[in-house]
Amino acid sequence: MAPQDTGPAQVVLTASVARRYYLDGRSKVEIADEFGLSRFKVARLLDAARASGLVRIEIRHDGGIDVDLSARLRDAFGLQHAIVVDTPDDDLVSLREHVGRAAAGLLAEIITPQDVLGLAWARAVSAMARALRPLPGTPVVQLTGALSLPDGPDTSVDVVRDVAAASGGVAHCFYAPLTVSDAATARALRQQPEVARAFGQVPSVTRAVAGVGLWEPGQSTIHDAASEADRRALRELGVCADISGVFLSADGEPVPTELAERMITISVEEMRSIPEVVVLPYGIRKAPAARAALRSGLVGGIVTHTALARAVLDT
Amino acid sequence: MAPQDTGPAQVVLTASVARRYYLDGRSKVEIADEFGLSRFKVARLLDAARASGLVRIEIRHDGGIDVDLSARLRDAFGLQHAIVVDTPDDDLVSLREHVGRAAAGLLAEIITPQDVLGLAWARAVSAMARALRPLPGTPVVQLTGALSLPDGPDTSVDVVRDVAAASGGVAHCFYAPLTVSDAATARALRQQPEVARAFGQVPSVTRAVAGVGLWEPGQSTIHDAASEADRRALRELGVCADISGVFLSADGEPVPTELAERMITISVEEMRSIPEVVVLPYGIRKAPAARAALRSGLVGGIVTHTALARAVLDT
DNA sequence: GGATGCGGTGCTCAGATGAGCGCCGCGCTC
DNA sequence: GAGCGCGGCGCTCATCTGAGCACCGCATCC
C-alpha cells in the first residue's frame, strides 16, 4: 500500500533542490520560494539528500598530499604541522625526494623574516635544501657537525650555506665533525669560536629541521658511522631513535649516552627550547623511530609519506 | 620570493576545516573556536576549498533515474513531473519496460485516494500497469476504445481492470473498438450506456496516463492500424503526434481530423481539462512527437529515457 | 618621505538557519 | 467509534552566516 520510501518525483525534486543549494549556492529561503515549499521542507529535503547519498561531498587533494592522514597525524600527536606525502612508492631515494620537496614547501610557507632556522644534518634535510625556493632573508644556524658520507655530496655545512644563500640570510656554520673519539675533544671543539658562535645562536632558533634515525643498521647515519661498541651500548640502553644526535627510547624518553658527549650537536634541552622542530622520517621501517620522535614532545612538525604515517597511526 | 599560492600546511588546514564543516556538520563558529581562527577566516577557507576543488560536491542518483535531465525537462516545459530513466539501452521493448516501471513508481507516488485516474491505451501504459504496485483505492477510467494487437496480451479494457483491481477502486471500463469505419457508428457507440458512463467520468479525472505516437510506420499503434488513406490524409494535415487519439502538429497544435471522429476516445477539450496528463514516450525516433506533446500544453508529466530526453532538449 | 594600491583581516547588521516544539491528519487498536 | 501513536509540517527564537565595509601592514612608486 505504501508507495516506496521515496518515489521518483520526490527524488527528482530533491535533486533539483540539492543542485540549487549546493551547486548554485542559493539560500534555502530562495529555493523555498522558487519551488513553493517552506524553508523547513527544503532543509529536510536537503538532509534527506545527504542521508540518502544523493548528495556526496568528498574532500580530496590531488597535489600529492594526503590531507586526511596529515590531519589525523597532526591531531593524534598535537603537532603544529603535519604533511603526509601521498606516494605509493617504497623506494627510499624516491621517498626522500618527495618528503624533501614537501618539507621545502612547508618551510617556504611557515618561515617568516623574523624566524631563525636551525638545520640538523640528514639526507632528507639535504633533499629539502635542494628543493628549497627562496626564503625571506632568514638566518640559518647549523645544529650538527659534519658527517662525511661517501655517497652524499652535501655535508651539514653545505646545506646550511646553501639554504642561507637561498634565503639571503646569515649562515651560522662551522667546520667540525659530527662525532669525535672522546668527550674531551668534543668539549674542546665546542669551545672553538666558530662552533661556539653557531651554538650561541641556538637559543634564538625558532624553527629547526631534522631527520629521524632508527637505531638499526642502515636506518641511521649516526648508527652506521658509530663503532660496533657504540652501536651495542646504545642498543642496550634501549635507544630506539635519534633526532639530530638526541637519542630516544621507543616511548620517546631522552636517553643520556656517552656517545652523545662525543658529538658536536645540540642537547635535549636546547632542542626542547626550539619552538618548532620539524622532522622528516621516511621509509616504512622507521615507524618505531617516528613514533618515538612524535611521543618525545620534542617535535612540533613532521613531513613524511603515507605508508609511514599509517604505520605510526595504526599502533 | 612568494611561497606558492597555498602551501602544504595551508592545504591540510583547509581540508581539516572542510571536513569538520561538510562532513562532521559543525558550524563555522565551532570550527573557528576549535582551530583558533575567526569565523570569517573559516568561511574564507571554505570558499577557497570549494573554489580550488578540494571539496567536491556531486549530485548523483544510482537508482536508474537521471535526476539532472529530469529536472531540465521539467523546467524546460513547465511540467509538474518529469522522470528520465537512465538507461543506455536502445531496444524498444527494454525501454518500454523501464519507462513503464518508472511510471508505475511515479503513479504510486503521486496518486491519492482523492484522485481519479484515466488510462489511455498504449503499450507503455500496459507495461506500467504490469509494474504497478497497489494504489490507494483510486477509481480508474478508461479513456480509449480497445485496439486488438496481435502481440499485445492486454487491451485497454484489461489494463483498466487490472489497475482498478490493484488499486481496489472502481473500474469505469467499456468494450468498444478504438476506431470504427464511420463517424455515425462512433457517435452511436459513444451513446451506449457503458461507454457513456465511462466518458461521463472524464470530467472528474485528475490524472491520466497515455502513450505518445509518432505519425509514421511502426511509431504509432493508431497509425499502423489506420488505412493507407487515413495515414496519408493525416500526414497531409501535418499530423506529427498522437496522444490517446488526439492528433498534434509538430509544434503541438491540435489538428482536427476526420479520423478522430471515427474514434472512441476523448476530445482535445476533455484532455485539456484533465489536471495532469502523463505521457510515456520512448525510443529515440519519437523525439518530434515527444516535443509536439510537450509543446501542446496538454501534458503535465512525462516519463521517458535519457536518449529521448536529450534529443527533445537539444533542439 | 609620503602617497598609493593591494591582500588579508575582522567588524556590523540584516537576513538565513537550526533545534525544539506543538499541531494536524492518518492509520491502528480495542 | 474513541483513544493512541506516529510521521509530516511549519512555527518561534536563539544562533549562525554573508555582504559589505573599514582597518592594517606591506610593498611600490613618485
Side-chain angles (χ1 to χ4, degrees):
Chain A
M1 63 182 58
Q4 56 264 50
D5 39 350
T6 50
Q10 178 82 347
V11 169
V12 172
L13 174 64
T14 306
S16 306
V17 167
R19 161 169 287 277
R20 271 255 175 273
Y21 185 76
Y22 283 111
L23 303 184
D24 301 347
R26 303 324 198 84
S27 79
K28 296 181 188 185
V29 174
E30 284 177 306
I31 296 167
D33 290 347
E34 177 179 343
F35 287 85
L37 305 167
S38 77
R39 69 182 181 85
F40 306 98
K41 179 72 181 167
V42 170
R44 286 179 180 122
L45 283 177
L46 288 171
D47 287 348
R50 291 290 297 272
S52 71
L54 189 73
V55 169
R56 264 188 320 173
I57 301 183
E58 67 177 11
I59 296 168
R60 209 167 43 74
H61 180 66
D62 354 64
I65 295 175
D66 187 323
V67 289
D68 203 37
L69 266 181
S70 302
R72 283 172 55 200
L73 204 55
R74 167 164 56 68
D75 295 346
F77 293 96
L79 302 172
Q80 297 165 66
H81 298 104
I83 311 290
V84 176
V85 175
D86 187 3
T87 166
D89 238 325
D90 59 355
D91 168 59
L92 284 183
V93 175
S94 157
L95 287 177
R96 186 198 303 153
E97 289 306 311
H98 276 101
V99 168
R101 240 194 313 276
L106 176 62
L107 216 56
E109 184 181 1
I110 65 176
I111 284 285
T112 71
Q114 285 69 49
D115 276 313
V116 177
L117 177 62
L119 293 181
W121 192 86
R123 278 174 296 207
V125 176
S126 176
M128 178 194 81
R130 263 175 276 128
L132 207 54
R133 309 210 274 121
L135 298 177
T138 304
V140 185
V141 180
Q142 181 175 340
L143 301 180
T144 61
L147 193 66
S148 46
L149 281 180
D151 61 338
D154 293 349
T155 67
S156 51
V157 190
D158 297 323
V159 169
V160 170
R161 292 163 64 106
D162 288 354
V163 171
S167 93
V170 190
H172 298 282
C173 58
F174 56 85
Y175 286 88
L178 179 56
T179 47
V180 293
S181 56
D182 60 285
T185 309
R187 274 194 298 275
L189 263 175
R190 290 201 201 94
Q191 305 302 320
Q192 296 302 308
E194 203 187 44
V195 180
R197 208 179 314 122
F199 279 32
Q201 295 297 322
V202 170
S204 65
V205 167
T206 56
R207 318 262 181 184
V209 185
V212 174
L214 172 71
W215 199 250
E216 281 181 17
Q219 295 294 319
S220 158
T221 48
I222 300 178
H223 176 280
D224 292 0
S227 69
E228 183 49 46
D230 282 332
R231 295 179 186 178
R232 187 158 7 92
L234 267 65
R235 205 177 315 124
E236 281 164 9
L237 284 168
V239 166
C240 169
D242 68 86
I243 305 174
S244 176
V246 169
F247 296 105
L248 303 172
S249 70
D251 55 2
E253 289 301 313
V255 178
T257 62
E258 186 270 340
L259 173 58
E261 293 175 22
R262 285 186 276 119
M263 294 178 69
I264 312 297
T265 181
I266 60 172
S267 66
V268 191
E269 292 71 30
E270 285 172 317
M271 185 175 291
R272 205 188 303 283
S273 74
I274 298 176
E276 177 170 2
V277 176
V278 177
V279 291
L280 316 180
Y282 59 95
I284 183 72
R285 291 193 51 203
K286 274 190 183 160
R291 213 173 295 129
L294 291 170
R295 284 179 181 161
S296 71
L298 295 169
V299 165
I302 185 172
V303 181
T304 186
H305 55 93
T306 22
L308 183 50
R310 253 192 274 273
V312 167
L313 285 169
D314 288 358
T315 316
Chain B
M1 61 179 61
Q4 55 265 50
D5 40 348
T6 50
Q10 177 82 348
V11 169
V12 172
L13 174 64
T14 306
S16 306
V17 167
R19 160 169 288 278
R20 272 252 173 277
Y21 185 76
Y22 284 112
L23 303 185
D24 301 347
R26 305 323 199 82
S27 80
K28 297 182 186 182
V29 174
E30 285 178 306
I31 296 167
D33 290 347
E34 178 179 343
F35 287 85
L37 305 168
S38 75
R39 68 182 183 84
F40 307 98
K41 180 73 180 166
V42 170
R44 284 179 182 122
L45 282 178
L46 288 170
D47 287 348
R50 290 288 297 271
S52 71
L54 190 72
V55 169
R56 264 188 317 175
I57 301 182
E58 68 177 10
I59 296 168
R60 206 168 42 73
H61 180 66
D62 354 63
I65 294 175
D66 187 323
V67 289
D68 203 38
L69 267 181
S70 301
R72 283 172 56 202
L73 204 54
R74 167 163 57 67
D75 295 346
F77 293 97
L79 302 173
Q80 298 166 64
H81 299 103
I83 312 290
V84 176
V85 175
D86 187 2
T87 166
D89 239 327
D90 58 355
D91 168 59
L92 283 184
V93 176
S94 156
L95 286 176
R96 186 197 304 153
E97 289 305 312
H98 276 100
V99 168
R101 241 194 312 277
L106 176 63
L107 215 56
E109 185 182 0
I110 65 176
I111 284 284
T112 70
Q114 286 71 46
D115 276 314
V116 177
L117 177 62
L119 294 180
W121 193 85
R123 278 172 297 206
V125 176
S126 176
M128 178 194 81
R130 263 175 277 129
L132 207 55
R133 307 209 275 121
L135 297 177
T138 305
V140 185
V141 179
Q142 180 175 340
L143 301 180
T144 61
L147 194 66
S148 48
L149 282 180
D151 62 338
D154 294 347
T155 66
S156 51
V157 189
D158 298 323
V159 170
V160 171
R161 292 162 65 106
D162 288 354
V163 171
S167 93
V170 192
H172 298 283
C173 60
F174 56 86
Y175 286 89
L178 179 57
T179 47
V180 293
S181 57
D182 60 286
T185 308
R187 274 193 299 276
L189 264 174
R190 291 200 202 95
Q191 305 301 321
Q192 295 302 307
E194 204 186 43
V195 181
R197 209 177 315 121
F199 278 34
Q201 295 296 323
V202 170
S204 64
V205 167
T206 56
R207 319 263 181 184
V209 184
V212 174
L214 173 72
W215 199 249
E216 282 181 14
Q219 296 295 319
S220 157
T221 47
I222 300 178
H223 176 280
D224 292 1
S227 68
E228 183 49 46
D230 282 331
R231 294 178 186 180
R232 186 158 9 90
L234 266 65
R235 203 176 316 123
E236 281 166 7
L237 282 168
V239 166
C240 169
D242 68 87
I243 305 173
S244 176
V246 169
F247 297 105
L248 302 172
S249 71
D251 55 2
E253 287 301 313
V255 178
T257 63
E258 187 268 340
L259 173 58
E261 293 176 21
R262 285 186 276 120
M263 294 179 69
I264 311 299
T265 183
I266 59 172
S267 66
V268 192
E269 291 73 31
E270 284 171 317
M271 183 174 289
R272 203 187 303 282
S273 74
I274 298 175
E276 178 170 0
V277 176
V278 177
V279 291
L280 315 180
Y282 59 95
I284 184 73
R285 291 193 51 203
K286 273 190 184 162
R291 214 174 294 129
L294 290 169
R295 284 179 181 162
S296 71
L298 296 169
V299 166
I302 186 170
V303 181
T304 187
H305 55 94
T306 22
L308 183 50
R310 253 192 273 274
V312 168
L313 285 168
D314 288 358
T315 316

